[in-house]
Amino acid sequence: MSFTVCNILGVPINNVNLNEAIGLVLLYLEKNEKKIIFTPNPEFIINAINDREFMEILNKSDLNIADGIGVVIGARMLGYNIRERVPGFDLVQGVFSKIKNTDKTVYFLGASEETITTAKEMMEKKYKGIKIVGTHNGYFKDEEGNIIIEKINELNPDLLLVGLGSPRQEKWIYNNKDKLNVKVMIGVGGSFDVMSGNVKRAPKIFIKLNLEWFYRLITQPTRFKRMLKLPLFIIEVLKYKIKGGKNEGNIKE
Ligand code: UDP
């Protein structure tokens, strides 16, 4: 399968829709290649411009989905015919619905102990037959990482979801990928909070109108400062365009 890669201010974004992304994860779960999936939004891209290590890591993943309408708008401004936003949460839910009642196993790493335990229970209720073989909270010290990796490897999960906040989760996945015995790793941000029911996803109408960011802004006003990176991102895209940056022509994978 080959998908167009859009270069958004140095960050590659794969032009896949939700179903294609789910299909790719299912394909990766059949291989033994340690695939890495990230979910860049405008905040990631602004952070990556100022953090060389993060930028390099985002360039080394196997699949980056456009998790944010800002990324879709930015890509279109740069001349890419990107089709739709692919929220990481929807990708994971889509994969769960396909792997329930199969032999594929999942491990959850991230969020508070209470949240991660509830997230597991809620997902087991929603996707009967899903095999979530273990969880660990995301509030551990760097030196505890190896013990957690050993615990994960003992359970030998196929899919590892990591929600430690960005860029910590992307750096953790990349820096530990060689030690981890898993087939697919996905950085899932705050998805465990939503899976547990602690944080509500926006009503469908907001999602449909691409206003999920606005819903999050009014329901979680503490995110205001982080959200300022959205207009900043659009300004950076405009500056890139004015300087003559252009669509480098649909690079094939
Ligand atoms: N988190 C964690 N360890 C940390 C910091 C954060 O496990 O050291 C978790 C936090 O509990 C939350 C997630 O990481 O579940 C990050 O959420 P954030 O709001 O940054 O992600 P987004 O919603 O932007 O994807």
Side-chain angles (χ1 to χ4, degrees):
M1 239 181 284
S2 103
F3 291 100
T4 306
V5 180
C6 314
N7 171 2
I8 317 293
L9 308 179
V11 175
I13 303 285
N14 295 77
N15 188 1
V16 288
N17 66 24
L18 177 62
N19 281 331
E20 289 163 346
I22 295 169
L24 277 175
V25 177
L26 298 176
L27 198 73
Y28 294 164
L29 284 170
E30 294 306 323
K31 300 184 176 187
N32 268 321
E33 293 177 4
K34 290 193 189 174
K35 298 285 192 182
I36 296 179
I37 302 172
F38 294 140
T39 62
N41 58 30
E43 194 184 352
F44 276 51
I45 298 177
I46 289 295
N47 291 343
I49 291 171
N50 300 305
D51 177 347
R52 202 189 166 90
E53 183 197 359
F54 188 35
M55 180 62 93
E56 281 173 12
I57 289 175
L58 289 177
N59 272 272
K60 286 177 179 157
S61 54
D62 297 286
L63 179 69
N64 286 340
I65 56 174
D67 185 345
I69 190 61
V71 177
V72 173
I73 292 170
R76 288 185 184 153
M77 283 167 70
L78 291 170
Y80 293 106
N81 182 23
I82 198 160
R83 283 163 296 160
E84 63 179 18
R85 176 185 168 216
V86 184
F89 181 82
D90 293 347
L91 172 63
V92 168
Q93 299 292 294
V95 170
F96 284 175
S97 71
K98 299 282 184 192
I99 64 169
K100 65 178 186 180
N101 298 320
T102 71
D103 59 353
K104 299 285 176 268
T105 56
V106 191
Y107 191 100
F108 287 1
L109 173 64
S112 70
E113 193 57 44
E114 199 194 334
T115 300
I116 203 73
T117 313
T118 314
K120 177 179 186 290
E121 285 165 14
M122 298 296 275
M123 291 303 102
E124 285 169 343
K125 251 189 228 157
K126 189 169 173 192
Y127 301 99
K128 294 238 173 345
I130 188 100
K131 295 180 181 66
I132 303 164
V133 289
T135 63
H136 196 289
N137 71 69
Y139 292 87
F140 57 88
K141 297 193 192 94
D142 286 346
E143 53 269 32
E144 292 169 315
N146 281 340
I147 301 171
I148 296 170
I149 292 168
E150 271 175 37
K151 280 189 187 162
I152 296 171
N153 286 346
E154 269 168 31
L155 295 162
N156 202 23
D158 297 295
L159 173 62
L160 172 63
L161 304 183
V162 185
L164 306 174
S166 177
R168 188 177 170 211
Q169 65 203 9
E170 289 77 22
K171 291 183 179 178
W172 193 89
I173 289 177
Y174 186 75
N175 293 330
N176 293 301
K177 69 175 181 358
D178 294 336
K179 290 189 254 171
L180 284 158
N181 242 335
V182 302
K183 290 181 182 149
V184 180
M185 294 158 258
I186 311 182
V188 296
S191 290
F192 296 131
D193 300 286
V194 183
M195 289 184 208
S196 69
N198 288 352
V199 172
K200 292 267 172 292
R201 193 81 196 274
K204 282 206 175 76
I205 183 73
F206 281 79
I207 297 178
K208 201 159 172 250
L209 295 173
N210 285 318
L211 288 172
E212 190 165 14
W213 61 272
F214 180 66
Y215 178 82
R216 292 184 89 178
L217 181 64
I218 50 177
T219 53
Q220 294 170 267
T222 48
R223 296 176 72 94
F224 180 72
K225 211 168 148 218
R226 286 175 61 180
M227 289 219 169
L228 285 178
K229 292 199 174 149
L230 180 66
L232 202 64
F233 168 73
I234 298 294
I235 291 167
E236 286 299 323
V237 171
L238 281 171
K239 280 200 320 214
Y240 183 83
K241 271 198 85 151
I242 290 163
K243 271 196 240 146
K246 57 181 190 311
N247 178 346
E248 270 123 47
N250 302 334
I251 314 146
K252 295 280 177 203
E253 256 191 329

